[in-house]
mmCIF file of all heavy atoms in Angstrom:
data_model
loop_
_atom_site.group_PDB
_atom_site.id
_atom_site.type_symbol
_atom_site.label_atom_id
_atom_site.label_comp_id
_atom_site.label_asym_id
_atom_site.label_seq_id
_atom_site.Cartn_x
_atom_site.Cartn_y
_atom_site.Cartn_z
ATOM 1 N N ARG A 132 8.122 -30.846 7.628
ATOM 2 C CA ARG A 132 9.089 -31.709 6.859
ATOM 3 C C ARG A 132 10.344 -30.841 6.478
ATOM 4 O O ARG A 132 11.411 -31.357 6.354
ATOM 5 C CB ARG A 132 8.430 -32.156 5.562
ATOM 6 C CG ARG A 132 7.344 -33.140 5.787
ATOM 7 C CD ARG A 132 7.234 -34.223 4.661
ATOM 8 N NE ARG A 132 6.909 -33.579 3.398
ATOM 9 C CZ ARG A 132 7.203 -34.085 2.193
ATOM 10 N NH1 ARG A 132 7.846 -35.211 2.089
ATOM 11 N NH2 ARG A 132 6.758 -33.508 1.112
ATOM 12 N N LEU A 133 10.072 -29.591 6.120
ATOM 13 C CA LEU A 133 11.166 -28.765 5.555
ATOM 14 C C LEU A 133 12.060 -28.083 6.623
ATOM 15 O O LEU A 133 13.220 -27.864 6.378
ATOM 16 C CB LEU A 133 10.570 -27.720 4.592
ATOM 17 C CG LEU A 133 9.790 -28.266 3.443
ATOM 18 C CD1 LEU A 133 9.075 -27.133 2.633
ATOM 19 C CD2 LEU A 133 10.630 -29.095 2.512
ATOM 20 N N TYR A 134 11.477 -27.735 7.739
ATOM 21 C CA TYR A 134 12.220 -27.118 8.818
ATOM 22 C C TYR A 134 12.752 -28.148 9.842
ATOM 23 O O TYR A 134 12.080 -29.118 10.001
ATOM 24 C CB TYR A 134 11.382 -26.128 9.574
ATOM 25 C CG TYR A 134 11.051 -24.734 8.900
ATOM 26 C CD1 TYR A 134 10.062 -23.898 9.370
ATOM 27 C CD2 TYR A 134 11.773 -24.375 7.775
ATOM 28 C CE1 TYR A 134 9.792 -22.681 8.767
ATOM 29 C CE2 TYR A 134 11.483 -23.175 7.123
ATOM 30 C CZ TYR A 134 10.493 -22.379 7.620
ATOM 31 O OH TYR A 134 10.198 -21.135 7.051
ATOM 32 N N LYS A 135 13.815 -27.808 10.454
ATOM 33 C CA LYS A 135 14.388 -28.689 11.550
ATOM 34 C C LYS A 135 13.365 -28.779 12.645
ATOM 35 O O LYS A 135 13.096 -29.858 13.247
ATOM 36 C CB LYS A 135 15.692 -28.011 12.000
ATOM 37 C CG LYS A 135 16.628 -28.976 12.745
ATOM 38 C CD LYS A 135 17.905 -28.225 12.864
ATOM 39 C CE LYS A 135 18.949 -29.099 13.523
ATOM 40 N NZ LYS A 135 20.204 -28.410 13.665
ATOM 41 N N GLN A 136 12.847 -27.676 13.068
ATOM 42 C CA GLN A 136 11.715 -27.654 13.955
ATOM 43 C C GLN A 136 10.891 -26.388 13.574
ATOM 44 O O GLN A 136 11.416 -25.567 12.850
ATOM 45 C CB GLN A 136 12.103 -27.667 15.452
ATOM 46 C CG GLN A 136 12.510 -26.289 15.939
ATOM 47 C CD GLN A 136 13.980 -26.176 16.366
ATOM 48 O OE1 GLN A 136 14.737 -27.080 16.123
ATOM 49 N NE2 GLN A 136 14.339 -25.061 16.936
ATOM 50 N N VAL A 137 9.640 -26.375 14.009
ATOM 51 C CA VAL A 137 8.817 -25.260 13.596
ATOM 52 C C VAL A 137 8.616 -24.302 14.728
ATOM 53 O O VAL A 137 7.923 -24.585 15.698
ATOM 54 C CB VAL A 137 7.484 -25.768 13.053
ATOM 55 C CG1 VAL A 137 6.557 -24.565 12.580
ATOM 56 C CG2 VAL A 137 7.678 -26.747 11.881
ATOM 57 N N PRO A 138 9.240 -23.098 14.712
ATOM 58 C CA PRO A 138 9.101 -22.158 15.854
ATOM 59 C C PRO A 138 7.672 -21.534 15.877
ATOM 60 O O PRO A 138 7.050 -21.383 14.787
ATOM 61 C CB PRO A 138 10.104 -21.114 15.491
ATOM 62 C CG PRO A 138 10.340 -21.148 14.069
ATOM 63 C CD PRO A 138 10.059 -22.522 13.623
ATOM 64 N N PRO A 139 7.152 -21.262 17.025
ATOM 65 C CA PRO A 139 5.799 -20.725 17.122
ATOM 66 C C PRO A 139 5.584 -19.476 16.244
ATOM 67 O O PRO A 139 4.492 -19.298 15.642
ATOM 68 C CB PRO A 139 5.685 -20.328 18.610
ATOM 69 C CG PRO A 139 6.678 -21.189 19.311
ATOM 70 C CD PRO A 139 7.782 -21.492 18.372
ATOM 71 N N VAL A 140 6.663 -18.679 16.113
ATOM 72 C CA VAL A 140 6.494 -17.392 15.284
ATOM 73 C C VAL A 140 6.179 -17.797 13.797
ATOM 74 O O VAL A 140 5.476 -17.064 13.155
ATOM 75 C CB VAL A 140 7.681 -16.490 15.473
ATOM 76 C CG1 VAL A 140 8.889 -16.972 14.693
ATOM 77 C CG2 VAL A 140 7.360 -15.093 15.044
ATOM 78 N N ALA A 141 6.660 -18.916 13.330
ATOM 79 C CA ALA A 141 6.384 -19.322 11.916
ATOM 80 C C ALA A 141 4.920 -19.582 11.793
ATOM 81 O O ALA A 141 4.299 -19.148 10.812
ATOM 82 C CB ALA A 141 7.227 -20.558 11.594
ATOM 83 N N LEU A 142 4.321 -20.260 12.809
ATOM 84 C CA LEU A 142 2.911 -20.554 12.745
ATOM 85 C C LEU A 142 2.111 -19.340 12.852
ATOM 86 O O LEU A 142 1.064 -19.136 12.169
ATOM 87 C CB LEU A 142 2.534 -21.603 13.849
ATOM 88 C CG LEU A 142 3.228 -22.938 13.685
ATOM 89 C CD1 LEU A 142 2.973 -23.867 14.929
ATOM 90 C CD2 LEU A 142 2.858 -23.672 12.429
ATOM 91 N N LYS A 143 2.567 -18.398 13.698
ATOM 92 C CA LYS A 143 1.779 -17.130 13.858
ATOM 93 C C LYS A 143 1.748 -16.363 12.516
ATOM 94 O O LYS A 143 0.741 -15.867 12.132
ATOM 95 C CB LYS A 143 2.530 -16.386 14.975
ATOM 96 C CG LYS A 143 1.736 -15.212 15.488
ATOM 97 C CD LYS A 143 2.510 -14.592 16.656
ATOM 98 C CE LYS A 143 1.674 -13.469 17.248
ATOM 99 N NZ LYS A 143 2.411 -12.837 18.356
ATOM 100 N N LEU A 144 2.956 -16.222 11.924
ATOM 101 C CA LEU A 144 3.055 -15.534 10.633
ATOM 102 C C LEU A 144 2.264 -16.214 9.505
ATOM 103 O O LEU A 144 1.610 -15.610 8.732
ATOM 104 C CB LEU A 144 4.526 -15.341 10.240
ATOM 105 C CG LEU A 144 5.306 -14.358 11.101
ATOM 106 C CD1 LEU A 144 6.814 -14.512 10.928
ATOM 107 C CD2 LEU A 144 4.912 -12.931 10.702
ATOM 108 N N ALA A 145 2.345 -17.531 9.544
ATOM 109 C CA ALA A 145 1.632 -18.321 8.507
ATOM 110 C C ALA A 145 0.149 -18.094 8.652
ATOM 111 O O ALA A 145 -0.569 -17.929 7.709
ATOM 112 C CB ALA A 145 1.946 -19.788 8.606
ATOM 113 N N LYS A 146 -0.322 -18.118 9.927
ATOM 114 C CA LYS A 146 -1.759 -17.896 10.155
ATOM 115 C C LYS A 146 -2.223 -16.470 9.643
ATOM 116 O O LYS A 146 -3.256 -16.363 9.097
ATOM 117 C CB LYS A 146 -2.005 -18.093 11.646
ATOM 118 C CG LYS A 146 -3.447 -18.061 12.007
ATOM 119 C CD LYS A 146 -3.709 -18.794 13.333
ATOM 120 C CE LYS A 146 -5.147 -18.900 13.625
ATOM 121 N NZ LYS A 146 -5.638 -17.886 14.554
ATOM 122 N N ALA A 147 -1.328 -15.528 9.906
ATOM 123 C CA ALA A 147 -1.745 -14.152 9.546
ATOM 124 C C ALA A 147 -1.607 -13.861 8.013
ATOM 125 O O ALA A 147 -2.406 -13.149 7.465
ATOM 126 C CB ALA A 147 -0.877 -13.168 10.311
ATOM 127 N N PHE A 148 -0.592 -14.466 7.405
ATOM 128 C CA PHE A 148 -0.305 -14.016 6.011
ATOM 129 C C PHE A 148 -0.322 -15.044 4.929
ATOM 130 O O PHE A 148 -0.099 -14.758 3.797
ATOM 131 C CB PHE A 148 1.091 -13.302 5.993
ATOM 132 C CG PHE A 148 1.126 -12.111 6.876
ATOM 133 C CD1 PHE A 148 1.916 -12.120 8.072
ATOM 134 C CD2 PHE A 148 0.473 -10.978 6.542
ATOM 135 C CE1 PHE A 148 1.932 -10.991 8.853
ATOM 136 C CE2 PHE A 148 0.484 -9.790 7.374
ATOM 137 C CZ PHE A 148 1.236 -9.825 8.480
ATOM 138 N N TRP A 149 -0.474 -16.334 5.220
ATOM 139 C CA TRP A 149 -0.527 -17.358 4.229
ATOM 140 C C TRP A 149 -1.906 -17.865 3.955
ATOM 141 O O TRP A 149 -2.715 -17.957 4.872
ATOM 142 C CB TRP A 149 0.320 -18.623 4.635
ATOM 143 C CG TRP A 149 1.816 -18.431 4.501
ATOM 144 C CD1 TRP A 149 2.441 -17.354 3.971
ATOM 145 C CD2 TRP A 149 2.820 -19.390 4.851
ATOM 146 N NE1 TRP A 149 3.790 -17.609 4.002
ATOM 147 C CE2 TRP A 149 4.044 -18.822 4.522
ATOM 148 C CE3 TRP A 149 2.793 -20.697 5.440
ATOM 149 C CZ2 TRP A 149 5.261 -19.506 4.722
ATOM 150 C CZ3 TRP A 149 3.946 -21.360 5.635
ATOM 151 C CH2 TRP A 149 5.155 -20.759 5.300
ATOM 152 N N PRO A 150 -2.254 -18.209 2.744
ATOM 153 C CA PRO A 150 -1.384 -18.020 1.595
ATOM 154 C C PRO A 150 -1.138 -16.531 1.305
ATOM 155 O O PRO A 150 -2.102 -15.767 1.420
ATOM 156 C CB PRO A 150 -2.144 -18.707 0.454
ATOM 157 C CG PRO A 150 -3.541 -18.846 0.888
ATOM 158 C CD PRO A 150 -3.534 -18.822 2.413
ATOM 159 N N GLY A 151 0.057 -16.181 0.913
ATOM 160 C CA GLY A 151 0.310 -14.714 0.615
ATOM 161 C C GLY A 151 1.821 -14.491 0.394
ATOM 162 O O GLY A 151 2.623 -15.405 0.473
ATOM 163 N N PRO A 152 2.168 -13.210 0.066
ATOM 164 C CA PRO A 152 3.459 -12.835 -0.396
ATOM 165 C C PRO A 152 4.520 -12.715 0.741
ATOM 166 O O PRO A 152 5.090 -11.650 0.893
ATOM 167 C CB PRO A 152 3.262 -11.581 -1.166
ATOM 168 C CG PRO A 152 2.052 -10.971 -0.589
ATOM 169 C CD PRO A 152 1.181 -12.093 -0.077
ATOM 170 N N LEU A 153 4.667 -13.755 1.530
ATOM 171 C CA LEU A 153 5.624 -13.742 2.657
ATOM 172 C C LEU A 153 6.408 -15.033 2.637
ATOM 173 O O LEU A 153 5.861 -16.127 2.575
ATOM 174 C CB LEU A 153 4.852 -13.590 3.973
ATOM 175 C CG LEU A 153 5.790 -13.524 5.216
ATOM 176 C CD1 LEU A 153 6.581 -12.222 5.234
ATOM 177 C CD2 LEU A 153 4.960 -13.656 6.494
ATOM 178 N N THR A 154 7.718 -14.884 2.705
ATOM 179 C CA THR A 154 8.668 -16.005 2.700
ATOM 180 C C THR A 154 9.379 -16.052 4.033
ATOM 181 O O THR A 154 9.907 -15.007 4.516
ATOM 182 C CB THR A 154 9.682 -15.872 1.539
ATOM 183 O OG1 THR A 154 8.951 -15.965 0.319
ATOM 184 C CG2 THR A 154 10.759 -16.961 1.594
#
Side-chain angles (χ1 to χ4, degrees):
R132 292 213 294 158
L133 300 175
Y134 286 167
K135 201 168 182 181
Q136 80 244 8
V137 181
V140 74
L142 297 174
K143 193 172 182 185
L144 287 162
K146 189 157 184 260
F148 299 111
W149 281 358
L153 181 68
T154 294

